[in-house]
Each structure stands twice: as structure tokens, then as C-alpha cells.
């Protein structure tokens, strides 16, 4: 009952709860609760109860023994509750528990006293009614001093007493009842306002005092720490700038004794220059200054300081000098210089890095005078990877450092030599007369870098190819010139390496188109333009869907639908196919997790995924992320994937089988060693290539091959599926020969996930994009452009079959 009343009061707009809600730091909560308890304990409550009971009996002078005994019993009860509460405090009860006990005491006291007061007001004679009413009011006012630290229980207790008093007075025949009730309502409001305001004044005073005390202790601690262990030191001058009373720390830092420093001008300690002049100007302005840099030299030791200060004035306004402090910032200055250097230079070779090279190129292209030509040369070491792999990274680093040194020596003064990353370098020649001069320099680079480099008693030859572009002939902007030089470098490598090529308009147009598509592909992958479509796998025994094969699709916003046979080879050569393949696996499993439990999903993988166990990591990661049943996953591989390192890859397939994943041999019959792989690994499924299915109706040889494959699979206990089924005659012949599953346009093209003819059992979870890894080496057929690497990193090569 009381709790409900309390909650209702606190929710009311007029409750003024903001007055009793105080912001107390977590570390100060227990202290604040103990302060409230201390305030309650400071009031002699038990003595007050004795005096109250005595005054009530004296003023009311009740004749009824029950009232006399009730008053005495009430006082005894309350004193007993007080003693019990204080005993709990003595036994170590927490402040929060004690405050709750005091709150309950206030409720009990309010009810008991109200009952006694009502009884006495109704019993008292008219000549004693007024003194008794005055006494009850005085006692209620004094209660504030013991109750305001518990504002809500105090207000409720006050209201209970006020209500009882008002009702008792209203029942007296000689008193106007409506007036008493009106005054009682005003009294209740007064109790509320006064109680909350008293609590607010008490709490804010205590909390502010606490904060000031904490701040004072913190400041004192900091001053003590500064005095004992600080890295700064104080300094004071007179009105003419002479040092006054130099501190021991200043003496130790400058290497001068206090006698030498006394009376010496402060600015004379520092090196001449702009920094000292700035300090003089700041002092002349007679205003505080902060963190002015200054350099101090003591013998060969050069130190960087930061000085702050403010003018000192006497009581009459006369300027007496300056007081400030000095901080040694040498380490910070050196660290900043180092960071600034590393932001612009390659840490290994000391050459300009990518960011600095790009900025210098853009600046030269914007600021060059009319008629001046700028040459951009891309240099790529021809045999660096072989040196790095055979002799180790330390030897590779030695080659890079020596390459950078030779480039700087050959390029001469004024040129910008940069290392873009790996074994790729670039040189900007800001003043060339024409292409002939640029090609002469490029040929000098080729001759200089083919000279052997001595490493650990051995001589190695790296060699280099150079691509040359001239601005503004080959591009008026830095990006255009970068692209032209990159195409020229590719041309140099295509012509046998160890040579230099000058860019021309007709150079490798097809390559340029492929690189544009590669760049679009990277954007497409990051932007979610790739999608998976799913082609049904049809069971011939039940004419039902057994599962779906996941097929990759790319809808370009400008090119439209890009065929898989166009973008997949480029993805393989650029290396992005690694991340695409991993995403395909995750996306397919996340989608298949929403299908009925009897449907499988087939995902094509490639040789790159098999290398180094990458496929096992991807499969385990995808299965754990999506919670997909591995027995419902089919991985389709081709026999050409097993030809590189068949033993290692077959071991990997066995580990995948141990997880419960099914392995299918795709494009069966198109290679010369299919039967060997069937003997070496127990595949779960054989996929008959579409070339045999297409000719099945009109070519007896194809029919014989299909029939032989189906019989072989039956004897090896392997499931069979035929792809590319497009007409009913093909389907009939496959059914006659015992093929178990088919797929093709006769049943359905590949469909988006939203159009699949199944009822999904759950919602699909989101699939994050895999992180893009660094390319190791160059894929065959398409060199990764240095210009493109300025904006993005590459990946290792991976093949994903995208089907129809």
C-alpha cells in the first residue's frame, strides 16, 4: 500500500523529483549514503521520543488510562526500533540496508503517532485542544530535522500525520471541518515542498564540498608529483628579463650553476633565430604566452624546449617581470620529425613512398610551365621474386636498397625517385626535352640495374623493365600519365623484359579494356554487385528437386549483364577470384540454410582453393558461420585441378570428406586421366559434361560414353548427374540409361534466390565480404598495375566455375 502510494507520488508532475535526484559519482555513492546516516544519527531521536511522549501527556492530560498507556507504549516501541536499527549499524550492516531500515521506522512511527494523536485530539477537553494542536504542529516541524535525508519516506510520513490531524480536528464539533481540511491540504503541500527543498540544500552542499575536497586533494597531489618527478621546471625573470632565483632543475638542465644563471637574460640562453625573436615579441606584448618553441644548445647537445609564461604585476600595477615554465620536448620533436619522414618516405630504401610520389606528380602536372615536358618512368625488377625466394627476405631487401641507390645516382638531381611497393619503382623527370631524353634515361636504368649485386659472397642479377610516358603528350593529369606508363611497362615485359618501352596510343587496347573491367570488378565486389543464381538439380526417380547449384552472376550498372566467361578469367588473373570464391561459398550456404532440410547446394571450387589447404579453411569458416549441415554441401571440382599436386589435393579432399562434405567430379570425361582419379579418390558424385549430353540424341558415340559412365558410377556406388539437358529426348535417353539427376534449361534456368520454387523455412543471415589479401607474385597473362595498387591491394589467384 505504502509502496504504491510512493510510486504514484514520484510519477506525478508536481512531485518535484528533480530536487531529490542527485548526480553522485559511483565512487562516492557509499560515502553519500553514510553522510545521510550520519545526519540521522546526529539527531537524539530516542530522547526526542521520550520528551514528545511526556509533553503530549502533560498538555493533553488524558483521563483514559488506555491513552496514557498507549502513549507510553508508542514511545517505547519507537525507541526499541531505534535501538535495533543502531545495533544493526554496529554489526556492520551496509549504509543502503540501514537507510532502508530507517525508512521503515519512519512509516511505523507515522502510523503509530497518528493513531495516538487522533485519539487524544478526539478525547481532549476543549480548553486543552488548542495547546495540544500547537504541540503536535511543533513536533511535526521538528521532525523535518530528522527526516529530510530520507525525503520520500519523510514526505509520506508527514502526509500520514497531517491527514490524521486534519480528520481528528474536523470531527470536533466546535471546529469548522471544511476549514480544517483545507488547511490540512495546504499543510501537506508545505510538507512536500519543505522536505524536498531541505534535502536538495543538504545534498548539494555535501556533494559540492566533496567535489571541492577531491579537487583540492588532486591538485595537491599533482603539485607534489610535479615538484618531485616533473619533467618541467619553473623560471622567473625581473622586469628587464633577467633570471631571478634560478631553480636547481634549471641549473642541472643548462649545465650552469645558479650563480652563473642569476642576473643573466633568459633569451640569451637560446640560439639566435626566428624562435628567439618570437619569444622577445611575446614578452614585449605584456600578455600571457603558451608553448613557444625554442632551441637550447649546450656544447654539442641541441635540445628543443617549449616555454610558457605570464607577466607579474605588483599591487600598485607595476610590472615586476615574468613567471613561467619550460618543458623539454626534444623527444617529441624528434618523434614528430620521424613520423613526418615516414609519412613521405619508404622506410627500407629512404626513397619517396607512394603518397609522396603521387603528391609530387600531381603538383608537377599542375604547376609545370607551358612547353615543359615531364617524364614518368615505371621500373619493375625482372627476377626479384626468384632472388627473394631462393636467398631469403634479407637478401631481397639488400637488392631493393641497392636498386634505389642506383636509380637515384642515374636519375641525377631534380628527379623524384620513389618505391611504390614490392619491387616496383617510379621516377619523375621534371624537365625533359622530349621522348628521346626520357628513353635514354630509361635505357641507362636498364643497363645500371642489370649489373650484378654482391650479397653474402654471391653475385645476383635482378634486371629491370621500364615503361615511359611523357606529359602532357600522354596525359595532362597524373592519373592519365600513371596509366600510360603502366601500359608501357607491360609492353616492355611482353617483349622479353630487360628493355624500355615508350607509350603510344595503340598499345594494348585489349589489355586496357581488361584492366577497366578488373577495376570495375573490384568496385562490384565491394559494392555488392555480384549475385548468386541457383539452378535446380532434378531427381529422375521422383521428379522432384534434389537441390540447387550456385552460379555467379554480375550485373554491371553500365555494361549490363557481364557473361561469366568474360569476367571469370580476368578475376582469376587479377587474383580477386580468391575473395569471390570465398564469398560464393558463404553466400550459398547462408541461402541454403533457409531451404527445406532435404535440399542440397552445389558450389564449384577451383585449383587455387585447393592449394595450401585454403579450401578447408574456407569451408570450415562458412559452415561455422552459417550453421549449415555439411552433409548437404556438394563441392564440385574438375580433374584439371588435381593435376598440379594431386597427392596433396587428394589428401585435402579426404579431410573435407571427413567433415561430411560431399565431393563431386565435374566435367567428367573431358580429360585424359578421369579414370585414374576415380580410382584414387571415392567421389560421391560424377557430373557428365554437357558436350556428351548435347550430342546424346544424334551421336551414338556420345550415347555409348554416357552409358559407360553411368554403368561405371553404379559399380563404384557413385551418384550421377547430367548437365545441359535442354530437350525431352535427351531427358528420355538419360532416364533409360539410369541417370539419377539432371539439370538444364529443360527444367529451369538459374534463378535468383527470391524466385526459387520452394518454401523457405527461415530467414537468411547476412554474409560479410572476405578481407582482400595481398597478391604474392604475378598471375599469368595479366600483370597487376602499379597505378591500380596505389588505390588497392591485390589477391592470390583462385578459380570459381560459374556454370551457365
Amino acid at each position: 500500500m505504502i509502496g504504491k502510494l510512493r510510486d504514484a507520488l514520484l510519477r506525478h508532475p508536481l512531485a518535484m523529483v528533480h530536487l531529490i535526484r542527485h548526480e553522485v559519482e559511483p565512487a562516492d555513492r557509499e560515502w553519500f549514503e553514510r553522510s545521510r546516516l550520519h545526519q540521522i544519527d546526529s539527531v537524539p531521536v530516542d530522547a526526542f521520543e521520550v520528551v514528545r511522549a511526556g509533553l503530549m501527556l502533560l498538555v493533553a492530560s488524558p483521563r483514559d488510562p488506555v491513552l496514557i498507556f498507549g502513549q507510553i507504549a508508542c514511545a517505547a516501541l519507537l525507541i526499541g526500533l531505534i535501538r535495533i536499527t543502531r545495533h544493526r549499524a554496529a554489526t556492520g550492516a551496509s549504509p543502503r540496508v540501514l537507510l532502508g531500515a530507517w525508512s521503515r521506522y519512519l512509516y511505523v512511527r507515522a502510523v503509530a503517532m497518528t493513531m495516538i494523536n487522533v485519539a487524544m485530539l478526539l478525547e481532549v477537553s476543549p480548553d486543552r485542544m488548542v495547546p495540544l494542536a500547537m504541540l503536535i504542529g511543533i513536533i511535526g516541524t521538528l521532525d523535518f530535522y530528522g527526516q529530510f535525508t530520507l525525503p520520500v519516506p519523510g514526505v509520506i510520513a508527514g502526509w500520514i500525520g497531517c491527514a490524521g490531524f486534519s480528520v481528528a480536528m474536523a470531527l470536533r464539533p466546535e471546529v469548522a471541518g471544511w476549514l480544517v481540511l483545507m488547511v490540512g491540504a495546504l499543510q501537506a503541500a508545505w510538507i512536500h515542498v519543505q522536505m524536498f527543498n531541505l534535502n536538495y540544500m543538504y545534498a548539494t552542499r555535501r556533494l559540492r564540498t566533496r567535489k571541492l575536497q577531491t579537487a583540492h586533494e588532486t591538485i595537491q597531489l599533482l603539485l607534489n608529483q610535479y615538484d618531485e618527478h616533473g619533467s618541467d621546471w619553473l623560471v622567473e625573470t625581473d622586469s628587464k628579463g633577467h633570471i631571478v632565483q634560478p631553480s636547481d632543475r634549471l641549473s642541472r638542465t643548462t649545465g650552469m650553476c645558479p650563480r652563473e644563471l642569476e642576473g643573466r637574460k633568459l633569451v640569451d640562453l637560446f640560439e639566435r633565430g626566428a624562435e628567439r625573436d618570437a619569444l622577445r615579441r611575446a614578452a614585449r606584448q605584456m600578455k600571457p604566452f603558451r608553448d613557444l618553441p625554442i632551441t637550447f644548445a649546450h656544447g654539442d647537445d641541441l635540445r628543443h624546449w617549449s616555454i610558457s609564461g605570464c607577466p607579474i604585476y605588483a599591487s600598485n600595477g607595476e610590472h615586476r617581470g615574468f613567471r613561467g615554465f619550460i618543458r623539454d620536448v626534444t623527444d617529441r620533436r624528434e618523434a614528430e620529425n620521424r613520423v613526418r619522414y615516414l609519412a613521405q618516405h619508404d622506410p627500407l630504401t629512404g626513397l619517396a613512398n607512394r603518397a609522396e610520389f603521387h603528391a609530387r606528380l600531381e603538383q608537377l602536372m599542375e604547376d609545370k610551365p607551358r612547353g615543359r615536358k615531364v617524364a614518368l618512368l615505371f621500373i619493375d625488377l625482372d627476377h626479384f621474386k626468384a632472388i627473394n625466394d631462393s636467398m631469403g627476405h634479407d637478401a631481397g631487401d639488400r637488392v631493393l636498397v641497392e636498386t634505389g641507390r642506383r636509380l637515384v645516382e642515374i636519375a641525377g638531381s631534380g628527379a623524384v625517385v620513389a618505391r611504390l611497393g614490392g619491387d616496383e619503382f617510379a621516377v619523375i623527370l621534371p624537365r625533359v626535352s622530349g621522348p628521346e631524353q626520357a628513353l635514354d634515361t630509361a635505357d641507362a636504368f636498364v643497363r645500371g640495374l642489370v649489373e650484378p649485386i654482391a650479397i653474402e659472397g654471391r653475385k645476383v642479377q635482378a634486371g629491370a623493365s621500364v615503361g615511359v610516358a611523357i606529359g602532357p603528350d600522354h596525359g595532362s593529369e597524373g592519373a592519365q600519365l600513371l596509366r600510360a606508363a603502366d601500359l608501357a611497362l607491360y609492353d616492355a615485359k611482353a617483349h622479353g623484359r630487360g628493355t624500355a618501352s615508350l607509350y603510344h596510343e595503340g598499345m594494348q587496347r585489349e589489355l586496357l579494356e581488361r584492366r577497366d573491367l578488373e577495376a570495375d570488378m573490384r568496385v562490384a565486389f565491394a559494392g555488392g554487385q555480384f549475385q548468386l543464381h541457383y539452378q535446380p538439380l532434378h531427381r529422375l526417380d521422383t521428379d522432384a528437386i534434389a537441390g540447387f547449384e550456385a552460379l555467379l552472376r554480375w550485373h554491371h550498372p553500365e555494361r549490363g549483364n557481364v557473361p561469366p566467361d568474360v569476367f571469370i578469367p580476368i578475376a582469376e588473373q587479377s587474383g580477386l577470384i580468391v575473395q569471390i570464391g570465398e564469398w560464393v561459398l558463404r553466400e550459398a550456404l547462408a541461402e541454403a540454410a533457409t531451404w527445406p532440410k532435404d535440399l542440397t547446394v552445389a558450389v564449384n571450387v577451383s585449383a587455387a582453393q585447393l592449394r595450401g589447404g585454403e579450401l578447408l579453411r574456407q569451408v570450415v569458416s562458412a559452415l561455422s558461420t552459417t550453421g549449415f549441415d555439411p552433409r548437404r554441401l556438394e563441392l564440385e571440382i574438375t580433374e584439371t585441378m588435381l593435376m598440379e599436386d594431386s597427392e596433396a589435393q587428394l589428401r585435402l579432399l579426404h579431410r573435407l570428406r571427413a567433415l561430411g562434405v560431399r565431393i563431386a567430379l565435374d566435367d567428367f570425361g573431358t580429360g585424359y586421366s578421369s579414370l585414374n582419379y576415380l580410382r584414387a579418390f571415392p567421389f560421391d558424385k560424377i557430373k557428365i559434361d554437357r558436350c556428351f549430353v548435347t550430342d546424346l540424341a544424334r551421336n551414338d558415340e556420345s550415347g555409348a560414353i554416357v552409358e559407360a559412365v553411368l554403368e561405371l558410377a553404379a559399380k563404384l556406388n557413385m551418384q550421377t548427374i547430367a548437365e545441359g539437358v535442354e530437350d525431352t529426348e535427351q531427358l528420355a535417353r538419360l532416364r533409360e540409361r539410369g541417370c539419377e539427376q539432371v539439370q538444364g534449361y529443360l527444367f529451369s534456368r538459374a534463378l535468383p534466390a527470391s524466385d526459387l520454387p520452394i518454401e523457405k523455412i527461415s530467414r537468411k543471415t547476412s554474409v560479410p565480404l572476405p578481407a582482400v589479401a595481398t597478391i604474392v607474385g604475378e598471375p599469368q597473362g595479366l600483370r597487376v598495375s602499379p597505378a591500380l595498387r596505389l588505390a588497392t591491394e591485390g589477391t592470390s589467384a583462385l578459380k570459381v566455375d560459374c556454370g551457365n
Side-chain angles (χ1 to χ4, degrees):
M1 181 69 179
I2 296 177
K4 293 181 180 180
L5 176 62
R6 177 179 180 274
D7 293 340
L9 293 174
L10 291 177
R11 287 194 299 268
H12 198 277
L14 297 178
M16 297 184 293
V17 176
H18 64 280
L19 292 176
I20 61 171
R21 286 181 176 171
H22 312 293
E23 294 183 3
V24 183
E25 297 294 334
D28 292 338
R29 287 175 183 167
E30 185 173 352
W31 164 85
F32 186 59
E33 291 171 351
R34 291 190 183 279
S35 298
R36 294 165 64 190
L37 285 173
H38 180 72
Q39 178 65 27
I40 295 173
D41 290 338
S42 65
V43 179
V45 186
D46 43 2
F48 178 78
E49 293 296 342
V50 173
V51 174
R52 179 195 60 79
L55 290 175
M56 289 289 291
L57 292 173
L58 179 64
V59 174
S61 186
R63 299 176 182 177
D64 190 346
V66 175
L67 289 179
I68 297 174
F69 175 76
Q71 187 69 254
I72 296 173
C74 177
L77 171 65
L78 297 178
I79 292 173
L81 292 175
I82 293 169
R83 296 293 174 85
I84 293 173
T85 303
R86 288 177 173 168
H87 176 72
R88 295 183 66 184
T91 57
S94 67
R96 186 178 298 275
V97 171
L98 294 175
L99 288 174
W102 277 111
S103 298
R104 291 188 291 274
Y105 163 76
L106 292 181
Y107 294 139
V108 173
R109 181 176 184 274
V111 173
M113 285 183 56
T114 299
M115 295 173 61
I116 294 295
N117 291 344
V118 169
M120 286 197 170
L121 283 171
L122 293 176
E123 176 68 19
V124 71
S125 60
D127 59 324
R128 291 180 175 267
M129 184 185 66
V130 174
L132 181 60
M134 293 176 62
L135 177 61
I136 293 174
I138 292 171
I139 291 172
T141 303
L142 293 175
D143 279 344
F144 281 113
Y145 295 101
Q147 299 179 5
F148 67 81
T149 54
L150 298 168
V152 174
V155 167
I156 294 176
W159 283 356
I160 292 173
C162 183
F165 178 82
S166 301
V167 171
M169 291 296 292
L171 292 176
R172 297 283 301 198
E174 63 270 37
V175 177
W178 65 274
L179 287 174
V180 171
L181 294 177
M182 182 179 66
V183 172
L186 293 175
Q187 176 71 5
W190 181 86
I191 291 172
H192 181 194
V193 173
Q194 288 297 103
M195 184 71 72
F196 277 28
N197 274 282
L198 281 172
N199 179 264
Y200 174 78
M201 289 187 288
Y202 164 79
T204 52
R205 179 177 62 83
R206 294 291 294 168
L207 292 173
R208 286 173 183 171
T209 302
R210 177 71 169 183
K211 288 182 179 180
L212 289 175
Q213 182 181 359
T214 303
H216 174 74
E217 292 174 353
T218 302
I219 292 172
Q220 190 63 42
L221 177 62
L222 290 175
L223 288 175
N224 293 338
Q225 290 290 328
Y226 173 81
D227 188 49
E228 295 176 7
H229 310 291
S231 59
D232 305 343
W233 56 93
L234 299 173
V235 64
E236 187 173 337
T237 69
D238 59 16
S239 59
K240 295 182 179 180
H242 298 104
I243 299 174
V244 178
Q245 297 180 347
S247 65
D248 292 339
R249 189 175 297 165
L250 180 61
S251 299
R252 291 194 303 269
T253 305
T254 58
M256 303 177 187
C257 66
R259 188 178 304 169
E260 293 179 271
L261 290 172
E262 184 78 35
R264 184 169 181 172
K265 275 205 167 186
L266 178 63
V267 293
D268 291 342
L269 294 176
F270 308 122
E271 292 292 297
R272 295 179 181 272
E275 292 179 342
R276 193 167 84 167
D277 293 340
L279 179 59
R280 289 181 184 273
R281 288 194 299 271
R284 292 194 190 103
Q285 293 176 0
M286 297 295 180
K287 293 181 179 179
F289 56 88
R290 183 178 181 84
D291 294 332
L292 290 181
I294 200 75
T295 303
F296 171 77
H298 180 62
D300 296 333
D301 188 17
L302 194 67
R303 309 296 297 177
H304 298 285
W305 291 354
S306 173
I307 183 169
S308 302
C310 60
I312 305 172
Y313 295 96
S315 58
N316 59 2
E318 179 184 0
H319 177 242
R320 294 179 50 189
F322 277 88
R323 181 182 293 120
F325 66 89
I326 300 174
R327 176 183 301 137
D328 191 319
V329 294
T330 304
D331 293 341
R332 188 182 71 185
R333 180 78 65 88
E334 291 176 352
E336 290 174 351
N337 292 337
R338 179 63 178 166
V339 169
R340 191 178 299 110
Y341 177 85
L342 292 177
Q344 299 173 343
H345 295 81
D346 173 53
L348 177 63
T349 63
L351 303 176
N353 60 11
R354 290 185 188 181
E356 178 66 8
F357 165 78
H358 203 62
R360 295 285 292 276
L361 177 62
E362 291 295 340
Q363 183 179 0
L364 282 170
M365 297 301 292
E366 292 176 2
D367 300 343
K368 66 180 186 305
R370 182 173 297 178
R372 180 188 298 177
K373 294 184 183 296
V374 176
L376 174 61
L377 292 77
F378 272 170
I379 303 99
D380 192 81
L381 301 183
D382 293 332
H383 307 295
F384 175 75
K385 186 177 187 299
I387 297 172
N388 205 43
D389 291 344
S390 61
M391 301 183 65
H393 293 293
D394 290 341
D397 290 346
R398 293 275 298 278
V399 170
L400 294 175
V401 172
E402 179 62 18
T403 299
R405 188 195 66 78
R406 295 182 184 184
L407 290 176
V408 171
E409 181 180 341
I410 297 170
S413 61
V416 179
V417 183
R419 180 187 174 212
L420 302 183
D423 61 339
E424 296 169 354
F425 296 82
V427 177
I428 304 173
L429 302 177
R431 297 170 181 265
V432 293
S433 57
E436 295 79 10
Q437 182 184 352
L439 279 174
D440 288 343
T441 305
D443 290 336
F445 286 156
V446 173
R447 292 192 302 270
L449 296 179
V450 79
E451 292 295 326
I453 301 174
I455 300 177
E456 298 177 355
R458 298 173 57 185
K459 291 186 177 181
V460 298
Q461 284 183 308
S465 301
V466 183
V468 183
I470 308 296
D473 298 351
H474 302 149
S476 58
E477 297 179 357
Q480 296 172 344
L481 208 60
L482 284 167
R483 196 168 185 80
D486 184 50
L487 289 172
L489 176 60
Y490 178 79
D491 183 74
K493 284 186 170 292
H495 285 82
R497 304 191 178 191
T499 185
S501 292
L502 178 68
Y503 172 79
H504 59 82
E505 289 294 334
M507 184 181 288
Q508 304 291 339
R509 286 194 177 91
E510 181 181 351
L511 176 64
L512 188 61
E513 173 64 22
R514 289 165 68 88
R515 288 187 179 168
D516 288 340
L517 195 61
E518 175 190 336
D520 290 348
M521 196 181 308
R522 294 180 184 275
V523 175
F525 183 60
Q529 294 179 15
F530 287 111
Q531 293 181 337
L532 286 186
H533 285 196
Y534 300 88
Q535 188 172 37
L537 309 180
H538 195 78
R539 292 184 57 175
L540 293 183
D541 57 346
T542 61
D543 285 331
I545 294 176
F548 297 88
E549 180 180 2
L551 303 172
L552 186 62
R553 297 293 183 262
W554 177 18
H555 182 78
H556 193 283
E558 297 177 359
R559 302 172 186 262
N561 291 323
V562 183
D565 58 357
V566 172
F567 72 82
I568 287 298
I570 298 176
E572 291 174 342
Q573 294 165 357
S574 68
L576 185 62
I577 198 66
V578 174
Q579 282 68 42
I580 293 178
E582 184 172 0
W583 174 81
V584 167
L585 186 61
R586 293 182 185 179
E587 176 72 14
L589 295 191
E591 179 62 39
T594 68
W595 303 343
K597 301 297 184 181
D598 59 335
L599 297 182
T600 63
V601 61
V603 180
N604 295 280
V605 296
S606 65
Q609 287 173 287
L610 293 177
R611 296 189 194 109
E614 179 68 12
L615 180 61
L616 180 63
R617 181 196 65 80
Q618 293 182 358
V619 169
V620 171
S621 174
L623 289 173
S624 62
T625 301
T626 60
F628 191 72
D629 184 356
R631 293 171 296 181
R632 297 172 57 198
L633 171 62
E634 293 180 358
L635 297 180
E636 296 187 1
I637 65 171
T638 62
E639 61 179 288
T640 55
M641 301 178 195
L642 303 174
M643 294 175 62
E644 296 181 6
D645 186 4
S646 60
E647 291 185 6
Q649 292 167 353
L650 288 173
R651 286 196 300 268
L652 174 62
L653 294 181
H654 278 289
R655 295 180 69 182
L656 289 169
R657 279 281 299 276
L659 294 176
V661 177
R662 292 166 56 83
I663 309 296
L665 183 60
D666 197 5
D667 301 334
F668 181 77
T670 58
Y672 63 87
S673 57
S674 299
L675 294 179
N676 287 334
Y677 292 121
L678 288 183
R679 181 169 56 88
F681 182 80
F683 289 92
D684 298 285
K685 188 184 235 183
I686 297 177
K687 194 168 191 177
I688 302 173
D689 189 74
R690 67 178 64 250
C691 64
F692 300 114
V693 176
T694 301
D695 296 336
L696 187 62
R698 56 181 181 272
N699 189 313
D700 293 338
E701 292 181 357
S702 295
I705 291 174
V706 170
E707 186 172 355
V709 170
L710 293 174
E711 291 179 0
L712 177 63
K715 292 180 179 180
L716 295 177
N717 197 28
M718 297 179 183
Q719 195 176 34
T720 53
I721 182 171
E723 64 177 345
V725 179
E726 299 182 358
D727 58 50
T728 55
E729 187 173 355
Q730 294 171 350
L731 176 63
R733 291 179 181 260
L734 289 170
R735 193 188 297 272
E736 289 173 1
R737 289 170 169 80
C739 186
E740 297 174 80
Q741 295 182 5
V742 294
Q743 69 180 108
Y745 291 166
L746 177 63
F747 299 96
S748 173
R749 292 178 176 269
L751 301 172
S754 57
D755 297 340
L756 296 182
I758 58 174
E759 183 177 351
K760 298 185 179 182
I761 62 174
S762 63
R763 296 181 62 181
K764 177 187 169 186
T765 58
S766 60
V767 176
L769 292 176
V772 178
T774 304
I775 292 182
V776 179
E778 291 184 3
Q780 297 294 324
L782 180 64
R783 195 183 62 82
V784 181
S785 85
L788 186 58
R789 288 187 185 176
L790 290 173
T792 183
E793 296 292 333
T795 58
S796 321
L798 170 72
K799 178 179 180 297
V800 170
D801 183 1
C802 289
N804 295 333

